[in-house]
Amino acid sequence: PFFFGRISTNQGGMNGAGKNLVRSGQASVASSVAGAHLLDLDGPAYSVHAGDTIHFDSGGQIAIGQAHATAAI
């Protein structure tokens, strides 16, 4: 299995077109690669660092880990 998180709408640092292009590519991989599982990282649980809005803060990272564990079980 291959688990990966989709670029979050909470993350800044990319313009809308660039972010949508990456998200579209991620969805394409998830639908065409056997065993690939795309995790939705949108929503308030996946909070980003206030200083740069690109990287997830500690709470967001914990939520990502929990999402990956849940998907893998």
Side-chain angles (χ1 to χ4, degrees), residues 2-6 22-40:
F2 170 51
F3 297 91
F4 63 108
R6 182 173 63 183
V22 171
R23 287 168 61 102
S24 176
Q26 290 176 314
S28 178
V29 169
S31 66
S32 63
V33 175
H37 304 276
L38 179 60
L39 304 177
D40 182 359

Side-chain angles (χ1 to χ4, degrees), residues 8 10 41 43-50 55-61 63-64:
S8 176
N10 299 333
L41 301 183
Y46 306 103
S47 51
V48 294
H49 188 273
H55 299 96
F56 292 97
D57 62 16
S58 58
Q61 290 184 27
I64 291 169

